[in-house]
């Protein structure tokens, strides 16, 4: 191994180590910067992880959701931050669940925080749009879900485009084999769901508005985290 490669690996290790006890923004910055370096220099997971200390955890969201559209949002964010996702129903009600993010601690904590931030934004904005349509059109059927489907697709495209613009590979969002292994051995006691379906109305303007908001949300977070990198 060359001295330059050793320096890069040590830099990645320091990035991931410095977030212990840090703010969620510091953790997000560390993830983006470390994953960019891993992708750029083709550094594998085993080269930077101290597997005796860096444990895989399960981080449950504080947000309880019912509609399947929110579960799709959680799943999209989990995969972008190298986490697996499952759902838990602490109160025993299969129609009211909380997303649980499984992954290395920093990954899982950031995925959970970004999901909650995206959830709050999307819920507020989709409700505002639905209220506007009800006042002006006399109906809001399918408005929220049409906007939300656009938002989720825009979010995913925003994450993906950042990888392409940076000339980086898909290594950035590959779920570590160790996480896949732990997930595969999980005993699923509360993973059966009775979610409400997605109701769309086919309004392209709504979809496009949601898409643009989702794309901007993902890019604004990433650009803010990587500022000065």
């Amino acid at each position: 191994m060359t001295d330059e490669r050793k320096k890069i690996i040590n830099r990645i290790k320091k990035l991931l180590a410095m977030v212990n006890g840090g703010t969620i923004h510091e953790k997000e910055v560390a993830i983006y910067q470390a994953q960019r370096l891993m992708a750029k220099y083709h550094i594998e997971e085993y080269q930077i992880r101290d597997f005796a200390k860096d444990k895989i955890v399960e981080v449950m969201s504080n947000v309880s959701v019912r509609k399947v559209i929110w579960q799709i949002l959680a799943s999209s964010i989990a995969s972008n931050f190298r986490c697996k996702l499952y759902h838990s129903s602490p109160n025993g009600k299969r129609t009211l669940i909380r997303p649980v993010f499984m992954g290395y601690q920093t990954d899982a904590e950031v995925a959970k925080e970004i999901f909650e931030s995206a959830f709050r934004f999307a819920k507020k904005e989709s409700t505002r749009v639905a209220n506007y349509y009800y006042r002006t059109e006399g109906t809001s059927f399918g408005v929220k879900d049409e906007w939300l489907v656009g938002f989720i697709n825009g979010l995913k495209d925003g994450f993906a485009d950042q990888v392409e613009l940076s000339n980086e590979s898909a290594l950035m969002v590959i779920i570590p084999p160790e996480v896949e292994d732990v997930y595969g051995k999980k005993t699923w006691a509360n993973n059966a769901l009775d979610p409400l379906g997605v109701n769309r109305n086919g309004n392209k303007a709504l979809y496009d508005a949601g898409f643009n908001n989702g794309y901007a949300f993902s890019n604004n977070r990433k650009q803010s985290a990587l500022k000065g990198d």
Side-chain angles (χ1 to χ4, degrees):
M1 183 184 296
T2 66
D3 288 343
E4 180 184 2
R5 191 168 180 82
K6 287 180 180 178
K7 289 179 181 178
I8 296 298
I9 290 174
N10 286 335
R11 184 182 174 191
I12 295 171
K13 288 181 177 180
K14 288 178 181 178
L15 281 169
L16 295 178
M18 67 183 281
V19 300
N20 292 330
T23 66
I24 193 63
H25 178 72
E26 290 171 335
K27 292 177 181 179
E28 191 174 352
V29 169
I31 283 181
Y32 283 133
Q33 292 182 338
Q35 290 179 353
R36 284 181 74 182
L37 289 172
M38 288 176 68
K40 183 176 181 179
Y41 294 97
H42 304 286
I43 293 171
E44 300 292 340
E45 192 81 26
Y46 74 90
Q47 295 177 285
I48 59 149
R49 296 285 185 182
D50 183 346
F51 294 106
K53 297 179 181 179
D54 200 354
K55 296 181 180 179
I56 294 169
V57 300
E58 299 168 45
V59 180
M60 181 182 293
S61 172
N62 296 315
V63 172
S64 294
V65 299
R66 189 181 182 194
K67 296 185 68 173
V68 69
I69 194 72
W70 299 120
Q71 299 165 34
I72 296 171
L73 174 64
S75 178
S76 299
I77 291 171
S79 61
N80 189 73
F81 287 92
R82 303 164 0 116
C83 292
K84 298 294 289 185
L85 179 80
Y86 70 93
H87 301 95
S88 180
S89 51
N91 60 3
K93 295 182 179 180
R94 291 163 64 193
T95 54
L96 192 64
I97 55 91
R98 291 187 184 183
V100 181
F101 299 90
M102 176 187 289
Y104 285 110
Q105 186 166 359
T106 301
D107 294 338
E109 288 177 353
V110 171
K112 175 246 185 190
E113 292 292 336
I114 291 181
F115 164 71
E116 292 180 355
S117 177
F119 172 84
R120 289 190 296 268
F121 174 83
K123 185 176 182 180
K124 180 179 180 180
E125 186 63 16
S126 63
T127 298
R128 184 192 68 78
V129 172
N131 289 340
Y132 171 79
Y133 269 75
Y134 185 80
R135 291 194 306 269
T136 59
E137 306 291 336
T139 179
S140 60
F141 175 79
V143 169
K144 280 189 177 182
D145 285 0
E146 190 69 41
W147 187 94
L148 286 167
V149 170
F151 179 84
I152 292 169
N153 287 336
L155 190 79
K156 291 190 290 187
D157 275 21
F159 285 137
D161 282 357
Q162 280 297 305
V163 175
E164 291 180 12
L165 289 171
S166 301
N167 247 347
E168 294 157 7
S169 72
L171 174 64
M172 181 176 178
V173 291
I174 291 175
I175 297 173
E178 298 78 22
V179 175
E180 293 277 11
D181 184 57
V182 173
Y183 180 83
K185 294 176 181 177
K186 180 78 176 179
T187 300
W188 304 108
N190 289 322
N191 209 31
L193 306 175
D194 287 331
L196 297 181
V198 178
N199 295 311
R200 302 177 62 179
N201 64 7
N203 186 320
K204 188 175 185 301
L206 274 172
Y207 176 90
D208 289 345
F211 184 95
N212 291 335
N213 274 267
Y215 191 91
F217 181 92
S218 61
N219 275 277
N220 288 342
R221 287 200 69 103
K222 182 166 286 191
Q223 288 169 9
S224 175
L226 293 174
K227 187 176 181 180
D229 179 35

